[in-house]
Amino acid sequence: MRYFAELAYNGTPYFGWQRQPDQVSVQSTIEDALSTLLREEIAIVGCGRTDTGVHASQYFIHFDVEQVLHEKFVHRLNKYLPKDIAFHRFIEVHENAHARYDAYYRRYAYYLDLRKNPFAQNTGFHYHFAKQADQNLLQEAAQFLLSCDQFFPFCKSNNDLKNMTCQLERCEWEFQENRYIFHIAANRFLRGMVRLIVGMCLNVGLGRISLKEVKIALDNQTRLSKSWSIPPQGLFLEEIKYNFSSIANRK
């Protein structure tokens, strides 16, 4: 049987989502736990990859298993896993359902602290100079991206991606007294895209690059003269959407 599972994790101690040789990743930690508890080799597929230090407050995986999973298995699995990974539920789906390809909506948030916060060292990025950024320019840079659908300037270099198309549904800043939050949602994201966009907005807001330069780079699909992949600890994958009525297992 194939199951979807909903979970959350703090990415601080992990070498990203994907299993890596000689490194502790979120994927390898979960696969090892499931394989041990279910006493069969379990391979999982995630809804996407997150980099080292990036978090997910909502994440989905799918995997195949020979046995029925009962409600109590969530509690059993959570007791076995480290405290920074938490499972919420399992959903039985049909055999072709796919955690990555069936997701039609993904939403991220980036948390930017304006003052030092000892309680958010690993879940927010303290950047004092953000106070000096022009809020109107930050918002204008973000809102402009809603008119674009090709995002080569905001994809990590040394990748083999051929499709740079993303359909953005939301791209905006929320300004709080001691924290700025960047919200972005789309059908898909390129590798490193959100952190590069946040860095671009800050560079525009601080006058390091112009919005005109950003527009030219997007029109020509070229790199920016000053690219900034902002640190990972402030980034959260917060929401994934599926049409569960179409992928749920019908008995």
Side-chain angles (χ1 to χ4, degrees):
M1 289 179 289
R2 176 160 293 187
Y3 283 91
F4 266 41
E6 181 184 359
L7 61 139
Y9 58 84
N10 182 318
T12 303
Y14 299 101
F15 197 75
W17 161 262
Q18 190 175 18
R19 180 182 282 273
Q20 303 284 341
D22 303 319
Q23 299 287 351
V24 178
S25 70
V26 181
Q27 181 182 15
S28 63
T29 302
I30 294 172
E31 285 180 338
D32 292 347
L34 287 171
S35 298
T36 298
L37 293 177
L38 295 172
R39 298 183 180 181
E40 59 179 282
E41 195 69 27
I42 301 294
I44 64 176
V45 175
C47 60
R49 298 179 184 178
T50 56
D51 291 336
T52 301
V54 176
H55 319 290
S57 50
Q58 185 181 53
Y59 194 91
F60 284 91
I61 63 171
H62 82 249
F63 62 96
D64 298 326
V65 64
E66 295 291 337
Q67 52 196 288
V68 176
L69 300 183
H70 298 286
E71 289 185 11
K72 292 183 179 179
F73 184 71
V74 172
H75 177 67
R76 186 182 172 203
L77 179 59
N78 280 331
K79 285 183 65 177
Y80 189 86
L81 284 166
K83 292 180 179 180
D84 38 49
I85 301 175
F87 274 72
H88 301 316
R89 59 174 172 154
F90 290 92
I91 307 158
E92 190 177 343
V93 294
H94 66 66
E95 61 182 7
N96 295 319
H98 200 284
R100 179 181 175 189
Y101 298 134
D102 286 333
Y104 68 87
Y105 175 95
R106 296 167 169 86
R107 178 172 59 81
Y108 284 86
Y110 192 95
Y111 294 87
L112 188 70
D113 290 313
L114 305 185
R115 65 180 183 182
K116 188 176 181 181
N117 184 350
F119 305 107
Q121 294 182 59
N122 297 318
T123 55
F125 173 48
H126 170 228
Y127 186 57
H128 177 77
F129 295 105
K131 295 179 181 180
Q132 302 172 17
D134 185 316
Q135 291 184 2
N136 291 327
L137 284 176
L138 287 175
Q139 202 70 280
E140 188 177 354
Q143 293 286 292
F144 170 72
L145 298 181
L146 291 171
S147 64
C148 306
D149 61 7
Q150 300 293 319
F151 291 94
F152 173 82
F154 303 112
C155 184
K156 274 187 177 179
S157 56
N158 300 321
N159 70 82
D160 55 359
L161 280 178
K162 296 181 180 179
N163 180 9
M164 300 290 172
T165 304
C166 303
Q167 302 298 328
L168 268 59
E169 296 188 29
R170 182 182 183 186
C171 192
E172 62 181 345
W173 285 88
E174 175 187 347
F175 302 111
Q176 299 180 356
E177 182 179 358
N178 295 308
R179 168 176 271 192
Y180 292 170
I181 308 172
F182 176 74
H183 301 279
I184 188 167
N187 64 326
R188 67 188 289 262
F189 288 91
L190 309 178
R191 190 173 181 195
M193 180 174 169
V194 180
R195 290 163 58 194
L196 284 165
I197 287 177
V198 175
M200 175 276 292
C201 288
L202 287 169
N203 279 340
V204 170
L206 291 166
R208 295 170 179 168
I209 59 173
S210 67
L211 188 53
K212 181 179 179 180
E213 183 180 345
V214 176
K215 293 177 179 179
I216 291 173
L218 284 163
D219 286 342
N220 297 323
Q221 291 295 285
T222 55
R223 300 285 177 194
L224 290 166
S225 62
K226 291 184 179 180
S227 290
W228 182 19
S229 180
I230 201 164
Q233 65 266 26
L235 183 58
F236 283 74
L237 174 57
E238 294 196 329
E239 186 179 12
I240 309 289
K241 290 184 180 180
Y242 299 90
N243 183 356
F244 279 109
S245 63
S246 67
I247 65 175
N249 187 26
R250 295 184 178 87
K251 297 182 179 179

